[in-house]
Amino acid sequence: SMSFFCTKISSSEIFMIGDIEIIGNQNIAAEKIIEASGIKENDNILMIDIETVKDNIAALPRIEEVTVRRILPSTLKITMKERIPKAFWFHDDEFYLIDTEGSILQKVPEKEINYDYILIAGENANLHYIEILNCLQKYPFADKVISVVQVGNRRWDIYMNNSLLVKLPEKNTTKALDILSHIMEQEIAGISIIDLRLIDDRIYFKLSNKIQG
């Protein structure tokens, strides 16, 4: 009968999972993926719920996309796309590693913060920082930027590796960055702050302890 046939297949060693092929994992260990999947040794490949396995793996913070496929008789193929770390986000007195979409990949101890990734801060900075980074990429000083801070969800402060702080306006970001690029080309020594918030009217420079307009 059919039920006997199903029972026979479900208990057959031919269909026991003998090989799990994982493709696309660069930062996540295969063991961690298998552990998260819920698949157990000697599970029958025909009896496992593929959608559940997929959902279990997708719940890992670093996974962006995942597909799971059976290759009979005994191989399970897991293909994934990992989220790529892009920035450190300082939020609520904690540091997080995030991707381009602002998704948190993991919490990071302060001692592990380095210049591998740009440091961002601000309440919703994780959701918007990629826009300002894309703007900055067009300029030769982009590689000097070590941190961007969103101020009041409205505008950005930029910190350079030469201890320079640049205050950008709420609007006309491109115009402000064009002006900044021109100023940076002059290589003026001793500037600690360039305030571009009122670019239609004036630009402020702070040189050590005195402000000049």
Side-chain angles (χ1 to χ4, degrees):
S1 70
M2 182 61 76
S3 63
F4 173 73
F5 178 68
C6 288
T7 305
K8 195 162 184 176
I9 283 180
S10 67
S11 61
S12 169
E13 290 188 13
I14 296 170
F15 295 107
M16 275 185 190
I17 296 173
D19 189 27
I20 299 175
E21 189 181 340
I22 299 174
I23 298 167
N25 62 314
Q26 294 174 333
N27 295 297
I28 312 173
E31 294 78 18
K32 190 166 185 179
I33 293 158
I34 294 166
E35 184 186 338
S37 74
I39 299 163
K40 301 286 185 286
E41 198 177 346
N42 299 332
D43 272 358
N44 184 290
I45 199 164
L46 298 174
M47 305 303 285
I48 61 167
D49 185 339
I50 290 288
E51 281 304 310
T52 301
V53 171
K54 182 180 162 183
D55 290 346
N56 288 346
I57 297 168
L60 289 168
R62 285 204 176 211
I63 302 293
E64 187 171 345
E65 294 170 11
V66 61
T67 57
V68 181
R69 202 158 62 87
R70 297 182 181 98
I71 301 172
L72 297 180
S74 59
T75 300
L76 204 63
K77 186 175 183 179
I78 300 169
T79 308
M80 67 186 61
K81 182 181 173 189
E82 286 186 11
R83 295 186 181 278
I84 299 167
K86 185 74 177 175
F88 292 121
W89 179 35
F90 181 66
H91 180 65
D92 286 344
D93 291 330
E94 300 281 2
F95 291 93
Y96 301 93
L97 189 61
I98 61 171
D99 69 356
T100 52
E101 293 173 3
S103 296
I104 292 172
L105 305 183
Q106 67 186 67
K107 193 186 281 190
V108 182
E110 187 172 350
K111 65 178 184 292
E112 290 179 21
I113 300 298
N114 51 39
Y115 290 125
D116 289 351
Y117 305 107
I118 195 161
L119 176 64
I120 69 166
E123 187 63 34
N124 296 304
N126 61 316
L127 303 177
H128 304 292
Y129 81 99
I130 213 70
E131 299 157 22
I132 188 68
L133 289 197
N134 287 341
C135 289
L136 289 168
Q137 286 312 316
K138 301 163 190 162
Y139 299 92
F141 58 80
D143 59 351
K144 290 184 168 65
V145 177
I146 56 170
S147 180
V148 292
V149 177
Q150 193 175 34
V151 182
N153 289 334
R154 298 188 314 275
R155 59 169 208 85
W156 295 93
D157 281 347
I158 298 172
Y159 291 83
M160 308 272 192
N161 59 7
N162 56 357
S163 301
L164 174 65
L165 164 60
V166 179
K167 295 174 178 285
L168 293 180
E170 288 183 33
K171 295 171 184 168
N172 299 326
T173 305
T174 303
K175 180 182 175 184
L177 291 173
D178 286 344
I179 291 168
L180 177 61
S181 184
H182 183 66
I183 294 168
M184 298 287 281
E185 283 169 12
Q186 313 307 311
E187 296 186 354
I188 307 164
I191 300 177
S192 59
I193 298 174
I194 301 175
D195 190 341
L196 301 170
R197 288 176 296 177
L198 301 170
I199 49 171
D200 290 333
D201 183 30
R202 66 189 70 186
I203 298 168
Y204 285 99
F205 296 95
K206 183 173 183 188
L207 303 167
S208 58
N209 292 322
K210 59 184 183 183
I211 294 178
Q212 298 182 354

